[in-house]
């Protein structure tokens, strides 16, 4: 049975009026040699239905650019003429790391053409001056990527091998086209991208994200035709239905060589989805790097660009020794900020993980090793942004937590039939002061981990859930019975952190976002369409087995750097 829905669209905004980009070059093919590259602008490429999109191509100048070139495709709707050198200063990209030709979240064409590659920046269907209407993700966009890959792989100057790389949207699109298996697609390098539009981008725990998604819908509206109104579609589809299923990807069908880069530091956007993609991808040639740093800085850090080149040299240039000694998995175990030791592993999640319950004790705000015998409760005003319930566990010995976390929480509301719950984990030093971590691309004062759940969305997908990772169905709502305790299973996104003896883990629960001050106008995840009313009561002890399940890793195992 074919599922149908009506897609909300927006009339495009004149691309020439964008105040944040360089002036929009007019249509018409233009070629020039600049900075050692042959730069061809607005090359037309026809899609299978006759629609023309326009791409920019960069090749080495002279004879080196005329034959046997592997191609890097950076598929992005943000404007192939928009450059990354005007990113926020807190992003941490240092002078000299990228050239003036580098598009937002994309590989630097000056570096890659010098390394013997061609680079392609397209304006997808319906974006900027390309024909057609822009549809975000889904089968149609995937087919367009397929068609461009096949065009690139059959040009006279191409060696027939195309790779994809880039951050965020440029990563997400790789999950979409990979399962389609275009013959000339040879390798993938997604660098932090969500893979579940509902659970990771538009709805967190069933609560609509009201900031970043709204901004994204506006940022993708530069078009001469129409663009998909993602923000409006999110409002129209509060449950996981046919609209969201149209954006699902079969990650298990990806069998290409793939170098996946994730971070512990992008909660609310990319952390979960990148790691879920790695877990699901079936390729026997897959590698994972997980860091705790700022994503744009990390992508362009010279030593990480070398990793990208080693990967693509191996699979696009048939250079067999470039990846010698690469571990299958490499993780950073954080201590504070962006700091932490690197360690090589053979798999993720770590097979030696011991999942340890820390039980909530509402009577004294503690996380304890054994379920308290006595029932106790704590409450807070759900609409007070400064009100929260906190629970602390101090480690008697050095401890590492790496991987998935879960909060089982007994809740009760006497005033409403729903609750919106926000969860944060923090590290406290030996004096009890909060230890800040890198967070969401630009920030230095973030948490260890975040979680969310609207209580009426508590039904689990039993086929996908595990003891340590609950996955919610989000296809129906089940109101809370007023005045009755109800257990919830809340997913907390993955993290990795080291605690010294005397340092503590703090769990906080409240009725609204923990982070609301957007100092850099980045538009990080916010949730303002809430259902809270009155007092939230949390129960622990006795028959109420509220606990935080943490992924304990024995200290001394593995190979630290």
């Amino acid at each position: 049975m074919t599922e149908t829905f009506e897609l909300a669209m927006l009339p495009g905004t004149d691309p020439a009026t964008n105040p944040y980009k360089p002036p929009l070059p007019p249509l018409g093919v233009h070629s020039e040699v600049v900075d050692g590259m042959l730069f061809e602008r607005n090359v037309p490429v026809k899609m299978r239905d006759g629609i023309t999109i326009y791409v920019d191509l960069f090749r080495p100048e002279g004879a080196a650019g005329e034959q046997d070139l592997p191609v890097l495709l950076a598929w992005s709707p943000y404007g192939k003429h928009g450059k990354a050198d005007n990113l926020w200063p807190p992003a941490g990209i240092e002078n000299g790391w990228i050239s003036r030709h580098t598009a937002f979240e994309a590989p630097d064409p000056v570096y890659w053409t010098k390394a013997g590659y061609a680079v392609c920046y397209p304006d997808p269907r319906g974006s900027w001056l390309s024909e057609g209407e822009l549809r975000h993700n889904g089968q149609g966009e995937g087919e367009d990527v397929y068609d461009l890959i096949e065009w690139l792989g059959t040009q006279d100057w191409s060696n027939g091998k195309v790779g994809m790389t880039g951050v965020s949207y440029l990563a997400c699109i790789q999950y979409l086209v990979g399962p389609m298996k275009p013959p000339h697609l040879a390798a993938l390098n997604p660098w932090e991208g969500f893979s579940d539009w509902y659970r990771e981008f538009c709805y967190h725990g069933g609560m609509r994200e009201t900031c970043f998604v709204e901004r994204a819908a506006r940022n993708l509206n530069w078009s001469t035709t129409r663009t998909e109104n993602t923000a409006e579609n999110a409002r129209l589809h509060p449950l996981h239905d046919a609209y969201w299923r149209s954006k699902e990807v079969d990650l298990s069908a990806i069998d290409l060589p793939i170098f996946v880069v994730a971070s512990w530091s992008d909660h609310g956007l990319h952390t979960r989805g990148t790691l879920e993609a790695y877990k699901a991808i079936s390729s026997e040639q897959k590698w994972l790097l997980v860091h705790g740093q700022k994503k744009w800085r990390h992508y362009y850090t010279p030593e990480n660009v070398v990793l990208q080149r080693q990967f693509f040299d191996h699979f696009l240039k048939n250079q067999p020794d470039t990846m010698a000694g690469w571990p299958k998995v490499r993780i950073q175990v954080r201590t504070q900020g962006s700091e932490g030791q690197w360690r090589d592993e053979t798999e993720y999640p770590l097979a030696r993980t011991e999942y340890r319950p820390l039980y909530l004790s509402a009577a004294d705000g503690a996380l304890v090793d054994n379920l308290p015998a006595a029932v106790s409760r704590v409450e807070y005003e759900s609409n007070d942004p400064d009100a929260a319930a906190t629970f602390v566990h101090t480690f008697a010995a050095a401890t590492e937590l790496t991987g998935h976390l879960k909060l089982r929480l007994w809740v009760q509301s006497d005033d409403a039939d729903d609750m919106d719950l926000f969860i944060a984990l923090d590290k406290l030093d030996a004096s009890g002061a909060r230890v800040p971590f890198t967070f969401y691309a630009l920030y230095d004062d973030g948490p260890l981990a975040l979680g969310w759940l609207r209580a009426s969305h508590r039904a689990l997908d039993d086929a996908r859930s595990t003891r340590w990772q609950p996955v919610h169905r989000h296809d129906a709502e089940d109101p809370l019975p007023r005045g009755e305790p109800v257990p919830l299973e809340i997913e907390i996104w993955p993290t990795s952190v080291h605690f010294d003896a005397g340092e503590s883990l703090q769990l906080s629960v409240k009725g609204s976002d923990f982070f609301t001050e957007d100092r850099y106008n980045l538009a990080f995840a916010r949730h303002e369409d809430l259902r809270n009313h009155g007092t939230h009561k949390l129960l622990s002890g006795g028959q109420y087995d509220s606990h935080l399940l943490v992924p304990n890793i024995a200290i001394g195992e593995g190979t630290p750097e």
Side-chain angles (χ1 to χ4, degrees):
M1 181 176 179
T2 302
E3 298 177 298
T4 61
F5 56 88
E6 184 174 350
L7 195 65
M9 303 290 288
L10 270 176
T13 301
D14 183 357
T17 65
N18 188 303
Y20 308 108
K21 304 285 187 187
L24 180 67
L27 276 183
V29 178
H30 172 77
S31 298
E32 63 178 315
V33 174
V34 56
D35 295 332
M37 304 181 294
L38 173 62
F39 174 27
E40 298 173 281
R41 175 183 287 145
N42 287 330
V43 177
V45 181
K46 279 195 179 295
M47 302 290 97
R48 64 187 65 184
D49 62 353
I51 287 291
T52 296
I53 69 170
Y54 297 96
V55 308
D56 287 354
L57 292 172
F58 303 86
R59 289 186 278 148
E61 68 172 318
E66 295 302 322
Q67 63 180 354
D68 203 32
L69 293 177
V71 190
L72 292 185
L73 170 60
W75 182 281
S76 164
Y78 297 125
K80 56 187 173 59
H81 67 296
K83 308 309 176 188
D85 57 3
N86 61 350
L87 277 175
W88 297 266
I93 297 175
E94 299 183 18
N95 291 334
W97 281 6
I98 57 176
S99 76
R100 61 192 176 98
H101 303 282
T102 308
F104 180 53
E105 301 184 322
D108 177 4
V110 170
Y111 175 90
W112 287 98
T113 54
K114 287 181 179 178
Y117 287 77
V119 175
C120 177
Y121 292 167
D123 280 338
R125 172 189 302 252
S127 68
W128 304 93
L129 298 178
S130 288
E131 297 175 359
E133 296 184 340
L134 177 63
R135 308 286 176 94
H136 307 155
N137 211 256
Q139 181 75 17
E141 188 172 21
E143 291 173 350
D144 286 349
V145 183
Y146 184 114
D147 292 350
L148 180 56
I149 289 169
E150 292 308 289
W151 183 87
L152 292 167
T154 54
Q155 297 306 294
D156 291 342
W157 43 260
S158 172
N159 75 349
K161 293 186 177 182
V162 179
M164 296 183 72
T165 184
V167 181
S168 192
Y169 201 109
L170 293 78
C172 300
I173 199 69
Q174 298 178 51
Y175 307 144
L176 180 64
V177 73
M180 296 182 176
K181 305 182 189 303
H184 291 91
L185 181 60
L188 299 172
N189 175 220
W191 208 283
E192 299 192 51
F194 64 81
S195 55
D196 187 321
W197 274 66
Y198 185 92
R199 293 173 178 85
E200 296 156 6
F201 180 44
C202 290
Y203 280 83
H204 294 128
M207 293 178 282
R208 183 168 64 87
E209 199 285 316
T210 58
C211 184
F212 185 83
V213 173
E214 299 286 339
R215 172 82 67 85
R218 295 193 299 271
N219 285 349
L220 300 181
N221 187 233
W222 305 102
S223 172
T224 61
T225 58
R226 297 195 306 168
T227 65
E228 181 175 338
N229 188 345
T230 297
E232 180 61 18
N233 284 307
R235 285 187 285 271
L236 292 171
H237 299 274
L239 298 177
H240 195 278
D241 60 9
Y243 172 72
W244 303 107
R245 284 189 287 273
S246 76
K247 298 184 181 297
E248 290 180 344
V249 294
D250 182 6
L251 294 165
S252 67
I254 298 177
D255 56 7
L256 288 165
I258 186 165
F259 174 30
V260 179
V261 178
S263 77
W264 310 119
S265 48
D266 213 39
H267 280 221
L269 192 55
H270 293 318
T271 296
R272 180 188 190 273
T274 318
L275 291 168
E276 290 302 295
Y278 173 80
K279 287 159 58 178
I281 288 166
S282 64
S283 175
E284 294 183 0
Q285 295 177 300
K286 66 177 183 178
W287 291 265
L288 175 67
L289 175 70
V290 196
H291 64 91
Q293 302 170 38
K294 296 178 179 180
K295 60 189 171 191
W296 298 318
R297 175 184 173 86
H298 192 260
Y299 183 69
Y300 292 115
T301 297
E303 64 188 62
N304 295 329
V305 178
V306 169
L307 293 179
Q308 297 163 34
R309 183 172 170 181
Q310 289 173 345
F311 174 72
F312 286 121
D313 280 354
H314 184 89
F315 290 107
L316 272 59
K317 286 189 169 186
N318 295 324
Q319 296 181 7
D321 298 330
T322 59
M323 295 178 65
W326 269 40
K328 297 300 290 185
V329 174
R330 187 165 172 80
I331 65 171
Q332 185 183 27
V333 182
R334 298 183 294 169
T335 53
Q336 62 180 5
S338 296
E339 299 175 10
Q341 282 193 322
W342 291 93
R343 191 173 67 229
D344 297 345
E345 298 286 351
T346 57
E347 77 289 312
Y348 176 85
L350 307 188
R352 65 184 184 279
T353 305
E354 295 180 0
Y355 291 97
R356 172 187 178 188
L358 298 174
Y359 292 92
L360 278 62
S361 174
D364 55 3
L367 293 169
V368 297
D369 290 320
N370 298 302
L371 176 65
V375 174
S376 60
R377 70 182 63 206
V378 63
E379 59 187 50
Y380 58 85
E381 289 302 314
S382 63
N383 286 309
D384 181 350
D386 297 320
T390 60
F391 306 85
V392 175
H393 180 85
T394 301
F395 293 101
T399 299
E400 178 188 327
L401 306 180
T402 294
H404 298 278
L405 305 99
K406 180 191 76 173
L407 177 62
R408 178 171 171 84
L409 187 63
W410 283 84
V411 302
Q412 178 179 325
S413 175
D414 300 333
D415 308 303
D417 61 5
D418 212 344
M419 302 169 68
D420 289 324
L421 296 160
F422 295 76
I423 314 300
L425 297 181
D426 286 293
K427 178 179 179 178
L428 307 180
D429 66 18
S431 70
R434 179 176 175 270
V435 178
F437 287 86
T438 299
F439 175 59
Y440 215 80
L442 301 183
Y443 293 87
D444 298 302
D445 56 354
L448 278 180
L450 294 173
W452 307 261
L453 186 63
R454 174 163 285 171
S456 60
H457 285 237
R458 62 191 179 276
L460 294 176
D461 183 334
D462 292 330
R464 298 174 62 188
S465 296
T466 63
R467 175 175 169 242
W468 53 87
Q469 186 184 19
V471 179
H472 298 89
R473 296 177 59 86
H474 298 299
D475 57 0
E477 294 190 346
D478 182 10
L480 287 176
R482 297 194 186 203
E484 294 183 22
V486 174
L488 309 176
E489 302 271 322
I490 304 174
E491 178 183 12
I492 299 174
W493 285 17
T495 194
S496 180
V497 61
H498 174 90
F499 297 88
D500 285 329
E503 295 181 326
S504 302
L505 174 66
Q506 177 176 276
L507 163 70
S508 301
V509 184
K510 63 185 297 190
S512 59
D513 285 301
F514 285 88
F515 299 91
T516 58
E517 183 187 357
D518 192 1
R519 297 189 296 278
Y520 307 120
N521 195 30
L522 176 62
F524 57 68
R526 296 283 303 279
H527 310 81
E528 296 159 313
D529 182 15
L530 302 179
R531 296 181 178 175
N532 288 325
H533 181 69
T535 300
H536 287 176
K537 298 179 180 179
L538 314 182
L539 296 88
S540 67
Q543 68 268 42
Y544 304 116
D545 60 339
S546 295
H547 64 271
L548 177 68
L549 193 68
V550 299
N552 191 74
I553 307 297
I555 296 293
E557 296 189 14
T559 308
E561 183 180 90

